[in-house]
């Protein structure tokens, strides 16, 4: 089990004391002389098909499309979980969620959160002199000891968990009102959700303006388009698709606002902006859910619709404009990649699942994914593995949509069942044609790898942070 407090302090001290020596040797993609800024824009439940340049229909995303035209589209980019909390745990720690003890969604009643012993992407960058700000939905524990300010962020403004975690007849009695937090203080309850996208964005813009002369890391995890959907007057009724399309158009506006700010401050060439979604579309909400495009299923499932998400990376002069990456990369790769670009390194005293994907992002020819395998978990159950172009599902059940909802009300699930099934993703992104019978050796190899990895991960899993009981 994990109890290495001293190691963590030593590591952070080492980072602050010139960890540039820990950096991997640079090659054709040498490190910049000036530490780059990082901006991560993360949406909530936006599907793989919900960006114009990923095939969206019924609404436009001109700013995201421009971001992709000026940078790279990652077509095989995976969230490390098909639901909110574990996906964000992976982003912050560079690890599979189960490894850091957060494989499930947290609720206002939860007494756990991101372990203070974990080293977050913000802490690594802060040790390198970065100003760090988080503006949006956190969802890694709402008690003060788990909030962003205790995990390496200088500033926090946003909802501590999902925007649907509010009192309702379906919730237990005494369910708390939704708090809006500034720093560690609830400054409002039940905030006007039509203003969330705008308020998060403006706080991020102000942060960038204040820190334009030093390296900064901005994490902008929007609450939208997680249901219940809300949009400001600026975009209400603007899309042909309806409210969901309006909401995405407002997020696209937000992306444009960030990009315009960077340009105005002459920071384009010093800033890597990364856009993605925490998991696939929540299809049970029907017309209030997005689309996974050609991918199968959506949120809560380990089919690609649940975890393959749009990925867009932009850094003019560093990431080739208009490029496309079809190699497997994942949300947990951002931590080691940003650490590397900042002249640091991921923690060396623990297992980190993420890998440096800068060779992919910088467009070096012929570079392959650093991941021989990528594993798909639902909660603590390993359900699938991707190795190269093959994806094997182990036998499991999943939420199949029986009746999609309408108008913000959920529809009905039925239990879906899948036996051991093997799909060849390049030809069949919808995971429909099973090659298990035709390719028994591949099935055997991937099954063995999956079981071995599961054993390793369980043996090495670290606990979540647990709320201290009052004396
Ligand atoms: Mg989500």
């Amino acid at each position: 089990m994990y109890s290495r407090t001293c190691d963590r302090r030593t590591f952070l001290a080492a980072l602050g004391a010139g960890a540039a020596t820990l950096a991997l040797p640079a090659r054709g993609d040498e490190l910049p002389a000036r530490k780059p800024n990082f901006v991560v824009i993360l949406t909530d439940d936006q599907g793989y098909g919900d960006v114009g340049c990923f095939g969206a229909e019924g609404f436009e995303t001109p700013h995201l499309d421009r971001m992709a035209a000026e940078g790279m589209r990652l077509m095989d980019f995976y969230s490390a979980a098909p639901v909110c909390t574990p996906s964000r745990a992976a982003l912050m720690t560079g690890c599979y969620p189960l490894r850091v003890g957060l494989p499930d969604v947290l609720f206002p009643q939860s007494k756990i959160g991101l372990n203070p012993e974990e080293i977050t992407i913000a802490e690594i960058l802060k040790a390198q002199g970065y100003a760090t700000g988080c503006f949006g939905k956190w969802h890694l524990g709402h008690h003060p000891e788990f909030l962003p300010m205790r995990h390496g962020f200088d500033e926090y403004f946003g909802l501590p968990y999902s925007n649907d975690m509010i009192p309702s007849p379906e919730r237990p009695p005494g369910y708390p009102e939704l708090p809006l937090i500034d720093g560690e203080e609830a400054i409002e309850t039940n905030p006007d959700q039509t203003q969330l996208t705008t308020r998060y964005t403006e706080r991020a813009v102000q942060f960038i303006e204040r820190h334009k002369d030093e390296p900064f890391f901005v994490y902008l995890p929007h609450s939208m388009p997680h249901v219940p959907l809300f949009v400001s007057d600026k975009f209400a009724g603007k899309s042909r698709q309806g409210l969901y399309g309006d909401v995405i158009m407002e997020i696209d506006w937000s992306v444009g606002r960030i990009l315009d700010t960077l340009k105005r401050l002459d920071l384009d060439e010093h800033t890597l902006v990364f856009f993605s979604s925490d998991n696939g579309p929540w299809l049970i909400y029907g017309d209030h859910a997005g689309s996974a495009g050609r991918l199968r299923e959506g949120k809560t499932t380990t089919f690609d619709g649940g975890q393959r998400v749009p990925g867009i990376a932009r850094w003019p002069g560093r990431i080739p404009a208009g490029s496309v990456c079809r190699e497997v990369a994942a949300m947990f790769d951002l931590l080691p990649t940003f650490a590397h670009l900042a002249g640091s390194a991921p923690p060396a005293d623990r297992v980190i699942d993420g890998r440096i994907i800068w060779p992919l992002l910088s467009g070096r020819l012929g570079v392959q994914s650093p991941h021989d395998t990528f594993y798909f978990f639902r909660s603590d159950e390993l359900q699938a593995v991707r190795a190269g172009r093959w994806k094997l599902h182990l036998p499991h059940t999943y939420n199949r949509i029986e009746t999609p909802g309408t108008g913000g009300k959920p529809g009905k699930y039925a239990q879906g069942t899948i036996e051991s099934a093997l799909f060849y993703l390049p030809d069949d992104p919808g995971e429909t044609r099973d090659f298990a019978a035709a390719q028994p050796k591949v099935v055997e190899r991937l099954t063995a790898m999956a079981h071995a990895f599961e054993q390793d991960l369980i043996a090495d899993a670290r606990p979540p942070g647990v709320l201290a009981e009052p004396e």
Side-chain angles (χ1 to χ4, degrees), residues 296-336:
R296 180 167 171 180
E297 305 295 340
K299 176 174 176 174
T300 79
T301 81
T302 51
F303 292 99
D304 266 25
Q307 289 190 228
R308 209 200 293 191
V309 284
I312 305 175
R314 175 188 181 270
W315 185 3
R318 291 277 174 177
I319 295 174
S323 54
V324 175
C325 176
R326 297 185 191 280
E327 294 292 317
V328 169
M331 204 75 80
F332 52 40
D333 294 329
L334 297 188
L335 180 146

Side-chain angles (χ1 to χ4, degrees), residues 25-29 72 320 358-368:
R27 301 208 290 223
D29 46 10
M72 175 179 282
W358 181 238
L360 292 177
L361 297 180
S362 61
R364 247 200 291 144
L365 285 177
V367 174
Q368 293 188 328

Side-chain angles (χ1 to χ4, degrees), residues 44-45 83-84 88 137 226 278-279 299:
D44 197 340
D45 298 0
V83 290
C84 298
R88 289 144 201 273
K137 169 178 163 176
H226 191 290
D278 70 335
N279 51 252
K299 176 174 176 174

